[in-house]
Amino acid sequence: MEIKEELKNIDEPLISRLNRLSSSKIEYWDINCNICEDMALDFTDQKSKEISSSLTTECGIRTFVGGGWGFYVLKELDSQSIENGFLKAIKLARLSESLTKNKFKLGDRDPFIKNFKVTKKKDLLDVPVEEKIELVKYHEKIASGFSPKIINTHTVYTDESSFSIFLNSFGSFIAQDLSFIRIKTSAYAQEKGIIQSSVNSVGGMGGFEIMETDNAKKLSEKTAKEVLDLLGAQSPIGGKITVIMDPRLTGTFVHEAFGHAVEADLVLNNESILKGHIGKKVAIEDVTIYDDPTIGQGKKFNLPHELFGSYFVDSEGIPSQKTTIIEKGVLKNFLHSLETSSRMNVSPNGHGRASSESEKPQVRMGITMLEPRDWTLEEMIEDTKKGVLCEDFQYGYTDPITGNFQFKCKMSYLIENGEKKHLMRDASLSAMTLEVLNKISAIGKNIATSDGICGKGGQSVRVCDGGPHIRVEDIMIGGLS
Amino acid sequence: MEKKVDYHALSRYGLKLADQKSTRVKRAEIFYDASNYLSLEIEENSIKHSEMGSDEGMSIRVIDKRGSLGFAFTNKLEKSSIEKMVNTSIKMMNSGTPDPDFRDLPSSYRDYPKVSGLFDKNIKELQIEDSTRYIEDIIRVCRDDEKAISQSASFKSAYSKIMIMNSNGVEVQDKDTNCLVYSQMIVEDKVSKDISSGTDWQLERNLAVINPLKIAEKALEKAHNNLNRKKIKNMKCPLILTPSGAINLILQPIAMGINAETYQYKRGFLVGKLGTKIGSKLLTIEDNALIDGAAGSSSFDGEGVPCQNRKIIENGTLLKSGLLHNSYTANKENIKSTGNSSRSSYSSLPSIDSSNFMLTPGDIPKAEIMQDVKRGILMDDTGDSPNFATGDFSGLILQGNLIENGEIKHPLNETMIAINLLDLFKKIDAISKEVEIFGSYRAPYVRIDEVQILGGKSSTQ
């Protein structure tokens, strides 16, 4: 793989100068540099609102000594600027170190030297902007023309091609040539004074071919159909009830309600309900949850491309890997960065991720899944006297300290005497995470995953989550009726 | 040490290029900004990170006679990158769809309002070594409290300058500063082992008014108030919103609803409500960009249009002139932009945002508002937001307490509020004279006559 011209400044002589400058002053450093070309197409009601393109460079220099971190951000990639920034970053780490009372060391690692390139059939930079625009127009046209009740449509296409270099004081040197693509469609429909909306997206790591998959092609039709269904939906019932979550909502639960609590930085800061729970039973025996952001999982979900949340290495140069979080109901592992793994005396597992080179890594999830068991959805419904089948979600949030969460579902259906009945809108579920893990009464056999952008501490990273249908007893549903 | 870029010359070069490169370009605009920041972060109640950084970049918007817009940006401020940026933007413009509503970029204005106190030399010149004193008080508050077990907190300051230049003759520039203190306290009841948290923050233009001690103490008080949460049964009762609760349920949804862009696309729950009564006569809201030293203030907006002070809702009536416009949405209605075009950096296109968005206070003390409530709910925070299309809200109370006989009792677990916002606005029956400021929002305590509360406690048990 050819290193990009502007990044060739980062060569052996520079690295040895940096090592000389840092020796005896700090214990660890890393540098992330990136050149990025982005495109964004934003159409509404079949008209272009934004057609934009950008070329940017970024560089983040991170330094560490005795429990204190320094971080210096610049956009210049020449060796002189990097060296100047490096000196400032050393000062910043020493300032932190002089003030911190939590002293700790980072564990040593072997150097990791490798180049990674994403597999793609149609390079994003080779696809003319006109072709990308045609795609967006196509989706807008389908959604707008679907029904006169649809009053407004919105489609956003984004792609990103980046070339980055990571190096650190362990002697690691990783070059990556990556590209990501995503399309998101929204539709608003109105009838008798009621307005409803629906949003769906498809994304992945790879090239423009991701837009030619079935899921992508049918995206706008699916969104339009959903919003019309929602127009006719009733207000949800309220109270404590049995809930069947579809794979997307199961994913939301596994990520939002549970997953954040196993991020080791929150555990160390006393912000997790799972602190001190490693080796303890936290769920019924049928529950196994893992995070696996490794490359090559598209096939599992019948997708001819890499999943949106997958990555080769995290932002600290640690290779992505499968981590079992809960095995047969017992909490096995937290998700770690270099720092949290060092402090908790375990190996890092590749979850130190930053949203860009100008941000510092935090502990983040990748692709978080609940393992399937043997129920079919039909069996689950038949076996439910009174309940609600909840599909997909609009948004959700969790109080990590208490585990109290709330999800707003997109579609929900009443279940009565083993039969799926009418559609309801805006049902919102609220419960305690650990209670739910112990109130699961059935786990389905077919899994699916969905893409998302997860926010934490002001940073957004690509993630996936999913699992099978699950049935949970006694969850509170709130609505207006 | 650092290279200085002549951004004026580069901007003029970009505008000239756009004009020369294609006869199809009707108008062009360059937006430039540069910023420096520093930040200190506390984790586990100890300093952990020191950070500094800078960014500088430029973007161009070009439109043609059909109203098609092209946009491109870069942070490589060299002539060759600017040339590439201009060429790309023209290519983008040529491939866009016609939009007859996109008539023009703003024309030049002769006068701009004077708003002072947006720039503080002390922030621009602040050294990170000296900023550590703003953190010391925060750490002490957590250390000295018996129940406090941890704290995440931060101090951030930033200096930025922006410049906007367009081929209609607009040329404005300004500099500003801000600094932010944030604290999240975590406390544990030593007996019950219950853990809870509380957060507070302050965003200011001026370093002298930052009060980290007060922020940490308030976060701590909230954390204490949220310990040992209990479930309650379903009930219909009065609801008192704290200022942050009122921002969450009243100001933010209204600010989104009167955004002319979403309104014109018929997207929000306020569509069709202009000129009508949408709330109790106690509800009055204004959007004022001209307050000296305020976080949401500015003399011109993201397109170089002068900012204003506007009434939005008066005694419950959403004024006919109550929408917030940028030049595009204003042109569409043949009116003047209200100066609400918002642009967070060179990398983003203008959108629409409120400035200082303020709920006018009433004349009774907050204690009196509470006094009359026999049994009700006090809500400070819900991580939730309403369904913007319908105005329906059914959200979990993350930080809230039961009120009994005018007194604040235990905090609430698994408790939800369900109401339609228009209903909530109409049921406002008291507003306090005390006001709190959170960044660009200001609100008093607000009492709602009656809401449906869904308690986590089963009523059959």
Side-chain angles (χ1 to χ4, degrees):
Chain A
M1 193 171 81
E2 177 72 10
I3 302 278
K4 275 215 175 184
E5 197 56 42
E6 291 161 279
L7 289 169
K8 284 185 179 162
N9 296 321
I10 301 165
D11 53 10
E12 276 307 324
L14 175 66
I15 296 171
S16 25
R17 281 205 302 281
L18 298 181
N19 280 326
R20 255 199 321 276
L21 289 170
S22 58
S23 73
S24 81
K25 291 208 176 76
I26 53 171
E27 295 161 7
Y28 172 83
W29 58 263
D30 61 30
I31 299 181
N32 263 299
C33 290
N34 167 293
I35 301 173
C36 194
E37 286 190 62
D38 287 2
M39 183 160 290
L41 307 173
D42 184 329
F43 275 61
T44 195
D45 293 342
Q46 307 193 61
K47 277 189 277 187
S48 55
K49 255 180 66 188
E50 171 176 357
I51 301 183
S52 78
S53 162
S54 67
L55 172 63
T56 51
T57 57
E58 278 181 316
C59 177
I61 303 171
R62 201 165 61 129
T63 47
F64 175 83
V65 57
W69 289 97
F71 192 52
Y72 189 79
V73 176
L74 67 166
K75 63 187 179 64
E76 293 81 10
L77 300 179
D78 60 284
S79 45
Q80 191 55 52
S81 300
I82 290 177
E83 212 173 305
N84 290 341
F86 193 77
L87 287 170
K88 287 183 185 155
I90 291 177
K91 273 193 186 164
L92 290 170
R94 292 174 65 94
L95 173 70
S96 298
E97 195 254 343
S98 70
L99 298 164
T100 193
K101 65 174 173 49
N102 296 335
K103 305 285 179 193
F104 61 90
K105 295 258 175 220
L106 289 182
D108 252 338
R109 303 277 303 167
D110 290 332
F112 184 60
I113 299 169
K114 206 165 173 174
N115 293 346
F116 293 107
K117 191 174 173 149
V118 67
T119 324
K120 54 196 164 191
K121 292 196 188 81
K122 287 173 91 172
D123 195 314
L124 296 171
L125 297 176
D126 295 339
V127 178
V129 59
E130 291 80 8
E131 192 176 335
K132 295 175 182 175
I133 288 175
E134 275 315 306
L135 173 89
V136 176
K137 281 184 179 167
Y138 165 82
H139 284 292
E140 278 281 292
K141 197 172 167 192
I142 290 201
S144 293
F146 202 82
S147 157
K149 289 177 192 164
I150 291 184
I151 49 164
N152 177 222
T153 60
H154 188 196
T155 305
V156 180
Y157 165 97
T158 48
D159 72 31
E160 169 189 331
S161 304
S162 76
F163 195 99
S164 66
I165 280 182
F166 170 87
L167 60 157
N168 68 12
S169 51
F170 299 143
S172 297
F173 192 98
I174 302 161
Q176 296 193 82
D177 182 351
L178 304 178
S179 63
F180 298 91
I181 185 167
R182 189 172 198 231
I183 187 164
K184 194 168 99 176
T185 63
S186 329
Y188 289 75
Q190 187 179 27
E191 187 177 42
K192 295 179 197 134
I194 291 175
I195 298 176
Q196 282 291 304
S197 64
S198 175
V199 187
N200 287 295
S201 71
V202 167
M205 182 190 199
F208 199 68
E209 69 278 0
I210 293 170
M211 292 295 117
E212 285 150 12
T213 57
D214 277 352
N215 284 346
K217 282 191 199 153
K218 290 186 185 140
L219 186 68
S220 44
E221 188 183 330
K222 180 181 163 189
T223 303
K225 203 178 158 311
E226 273 179 5
V227 74
L228 290 181
D229 287 347
L230 284 170
L231 263 190
Q234 301 182 16
S235 284
I237 53 169
K240 284 210 161 183
I241 203 162
T242 301
V243 167
I244 299 175
M245 300 187 187
D246 85 327
R248 288 166 294 186
L249 197 60
T250 298
T252 307
F253 169 73
V254 167
H255 175 103
E256 286 291 342
F258 173 75
H260 285 294
V262 295
E263 294 170 341
D265 53 350
L266 296 185
V267 176
L268 284 167
N269 204 28
N270 282 312
E271 290 178 56
S272 165
I273 45 168
L274 293 169
K275 183 173 181 158
H277 281 61
I278 291 279
K280 291 188 182 156
K281 200 163 174 299
V282 295
I284 58 156
E285 208 179 320
D286 268 350
V287 170
T288 292
I289 294 175
Y290 61 88
D291 194 298
D292 183 7
T294 55
I295 300 295
Q297 296 188 78
K299 281 178 218 100
K300 255 197 242 174
F301 303 95
N302 293 320
L303 297 170
H305 57 83
E306 298 299 345
L307 298 181
F308 194 59
S310 57
Y311 49 92
F312 293 100
V313 291
D314 72 1
S315 305
E316 300 183 302
I318 308 293
S320 59
Q321 53 201 277
K322 180 171 176 174
T323 301
T324 303
I325 302 170
I326 293 181
E327 190 172 33
K328 293 185 178 163
V330 177
L331 185 68
K332 291 287 181 185
N333 293 294
F334 292 130
L335 302 180
H336 286 288
S337 63
L338 213 53
E339 175 187 322
T340 64
S341 62
S342 301
R343 293 178 58 190
M344 293 169 99
N345 279 320
V346 293
S347 290
N349 48 24
H351 288 278
R353 303 179 68 194
S355 62
S356 76
E357 281 61 24
S358 57
E359 304 280 357
K360 57 186 183 293
Q362 303 171 299
V363 179
R364 306 301 297 262
M365 283 169 265
I367 300 178
T368 323
M369 304 285 296
L370 179 84
E371 265 190 9
R373 291 290 176 253
D374 52 4
W375 287 71
T376 65
L377 174 61
E378 291 69 32
E379 286 165 355
M380 257 186 227
I381 293 173
E382 262 170 44
D383 190 54
T384 303
K385 213 162 173 196
K386 184 154 191 202
V388 178
L389 167 63
C390 294
E391 294 184 346
D392 210 347
F393 89 121
Q394 300 175 39
Y395 53 86
Y397 58 91
T398 306
D399 181 353
I401 292 167
T402 61
N404 198 354
F405 70 85
Q406 188 189 352
F407 299 151
K408 197 80 79 180
C409 311
K410 193 197 262 176
M411 335 261 285
S412 51
Y413 299 88
L414 187 68
I415 299 173
E416 268 175 346
N417 300 316
E419 276 178 48
K420 182 174 155 184
K421 298 277 170 83
H422 66 258
L423 176 68
M424 301 177 292
R425 61 176 151 93
D426 289 334
S428 101
L429 306 181
S430 165
M432 308 299 280
T433 305
L434 291 181
E435 286 178 19
V436 169
L437 286 171
N438 287 289
K439 284 199 239 168
I440 296 175
S441 63
I443 300 180
K445 64 200 286 189
N446 299 316
I447 55 167
T449 172
S450 47
D451 312 327
I453 306 270
C454 171
K456 175 177 171 180
Q459 296 189 43
S460 302
V461 298
R462 288 175 284 267
V463 294
C464 292
D465 51 49
H469 279 91
I470 59 171
R471 187 178 65 186
V472 187
E473 303 301 326
D474 220 18
I475 283 198
M476 188 151 86
I477 280 214
L480 278 177
S481 58
Chain B
M1 291 262 285
E2 260 130 65
K3 289 167 278 179
K4 282 266 180 265
V5 173
D6 185 350
Y7 58 90
H8 283 107
L10 266 186
S11 304
R12 281 198 191 92
Y13 178 64
L15 284 185
K16 202 174 93 191
L17 268 184
D19 189 44
Q20 287 168 352
K21 286 272 174 186
S22 166
T23 51
R24 297 176 66 174
V25 173
K26 178 180 171 182
R27 216 72 71 199
E29 172 202 69
I30 298 269
F31 185 97
Y32 160 89
D33 79 78
S35 57
N36 292 295
Y37 70 91
L38 61 85
S39 96
L40 286 171
E41 279 178 43
I42 291 174
E43 277 177 34
E44 298 157 70
N45 204 37
S46 168
I47 291 213
K48 178 83 151 292
H49 291 273
S50 310
E51 178 175 341
M52 285 165 64
S54 59
D55 194 14
E56 182 177 28
M58 207 175 255
S59 61
I60 185 164
R61 282 202 294 168
V62 287
I63 56 165
D64 64 14
K65 291 192 179 67
R66 306 172 303 142
S68 172
L69 172 75
F71 179 65
F73 63 89
T74 185
N75 66 1
K76 298 175 77 174
L77 297 182
E78 299 149 10
K79 267 192 164 181
S80 60
S81 311
I82 299 302
E83 280 160 24
K84 190 176 170 194
M85 174 183 87
V86 172
N87 288 339
T88 311
S89 72
I90 293 172
K91 196 170 154 193
M92 301 279 138
M93 173 190 82
N94 287 340
S95 37
T97 56
D99 182 358
D101 290 323
F102 206 142
R103 282 182 230 147
D104 207 345
L105 296 174
S107 320
S108 66
Y109 288 79
R110 197 176 307 152
D111 297 313
Y112 286 90
K114 286 231 166 5
V115 190
S116 61
L118 305 184
F119 170 77
D120 177 11
K121 192 164 76 70
N122 293 324
I123 291 181
K124 190 192 170 194
E125 289 168 4
L126 183 67
Q127 297 295 311
I128 194 158
E129 292 81 1
D130 300 327
S131 67
T132 56
R133 65 192 173 98
Y134 294 96
I135 292 285
E136 286 161 8
D137 286 342
I138 293 191
I139 292 179
R140 202 182 56 243
V141 170
C142 179
R143 199 183 51 215
D144 292 352
D145 185 76
E146 274 195 357
K147 287 179 182 166
I149 53 170
S150 189
Q151 177 182 214
S152 300
S154 58
F155 171 87
K156 282 185 180 139
S157 73
Y159 159 67
S160 63
K161 58 181 179 192
I162 67 169
M163 193 219 51
I164 307 166
M165 204 183 259
N166 78 20
S167 54
N168 269 338
V170 167
E171 186 176 336
V172 287
Q173 63 176 327
D174 208 355
K175 55 186 178 179
D176 65 14
T177 50
N178 59 64
C179 73
L180 172 77
V181 174
Y182 167 85
S183 161
Q184 181 189 28
M185 289 284 179
I186 298 161
V187 297
E188 183 181 34
D189 186 308
K190 298 285 182 288
V191 182
S192 68
K193 295 288 164 207
D194 190 45
I195 293 182
S196 82
S197 74
T199 61
D200 199 34
W201 55 278
Q202 185 185 11
L203 174 68
E204 299 287 350
R205 298 287 197 175
N206 191 324
L207 201 54
V209 289
I210 280 283
N211 191 345
L213 182 66
K214 192 176 144 208
I215 297 306
E217 282 172 346
K218 231 173 122 191
L220 184 66
E221 186 192 327
K222 284 186 180 185
H224 280 204
N225 286 344
N226 206 22
L227 266 179
N228 299 318
R229 290 169 298 276
K230 288 182 196 157
K231 295 179 188 176
I232 54 169
K233 288 182 182 174
N234 291 354
M235 61 177 182
K236 277 193 172 165
C237 65
L239 168 72
I240 295 175
L241 299 172
T242 65
S244 77
I247 290 168
N248 204 188
L249 279 193
I250 301 174
L251 287 181
Q252 284 172 341
I254 290 179
M256 275 170 77
I258 57 161
N259 174 322
E261 187 180 346
T262 51
Y263 196 94
Q264 286 171 355
Y265 287 128
K266 297 188 169 51
R267 270 180 201 155
F269 71 105
L270 291 179
V271 169
K273 300 279 190 290
L274 281 186
T276 70
K277 210 160 162 53
I278 63 158
S280 125
K281 64 177 190 319
L282 297 175
L283 185 66
T284 293
I285 290 176
E286 61 182 284
D287 180 58
N288 186 353
L290 309 181
I291 304 170
D292 288 343
S297 292
S298 190
S299 141
F300 57 86
D301 74 356
E303 296 178 299
V305 173
C307 289
Q308 302 178 13
N309 173 15
R310 299 180 70 80
K311 267 262 156 68
I312 305 297
I313 294 174
E314 192 153 34
N315 302 327
T317 301
L318 175 58
L319 300 180
K320 275 191 178 139
S321 58
L323 296 184
L324 306 178
H325 285 279
N326 61 14
S327 69
Y328 174 88
T329 59
N331 275 340
K332 213 166 167 172
E333 292 179 16
N334 284 317
I335 55 171
K336 282 194 165 163
S337 166
T338 57
N340 285 92
S341 168
S342 125
R343 224 157 164 179
S344 50
S345 94
Y346 64 90
S347 62
S348 56
L349 276 165
S351 59
I352 295 176
D353 207 352
S354 51
S355 59
N356 297 298
F357 207 60
M358 317 193 293
L359 178 52
T360 306
D363 46 17
I364 19 174
K366 70 175 182 190
E368 252 173 64
I369 288 186
M370 205 93 69
Q371 222 171 305
D372 302 342
V373 177
K374 265 190 102 167
R375 194 173 161 81
I377 300 290
L378 175 74
M379 196 200 80
D380 185 60
D381 185 23
T382 157
D384 206 347
S385 45
N387 177 327
F388 180 63
T390 59
D392 287 349
F393 176 79
S394 67
L396 185 67
I397 298 173
L398 284 185
Q399 184 106 40
N401 295 66
L402 183 71
I403 303 173
E404 262 176 349
N405 300 320
E407 279 178 37
I408 299 178
K409 302 286 181 182
H410 65 79
L412 303 167
N413 206 6
E414 285 190 75
T415 306
M416 289 163 83
I417 297 174
I419 193 165
N420 185 281
L421 288 185
L422 290 170
D423 202 25
L424 182 143
F425 300 159
K426 281 180 190 130
K427 287 181 174 163
I428 293 173
D429 70 353
I431 291 187
S432 79
K433 62 181 187 189
E434 296 89 344
V435 176
E436 286 176 24
I437 304 175
F438 287 90
S440 60
Y441 288 98
R442 303 178 179 210
Y445 287 78
V446 178
R447 189 174 69 198
I448 319 298
D449 177 41
E450 188 185 75
V451 297
Q452 176 67 52
I453 299 294
L454 299 163
K457 196 165 174 177
S458 164
S459 30
T460 51
Q461 279 167 2

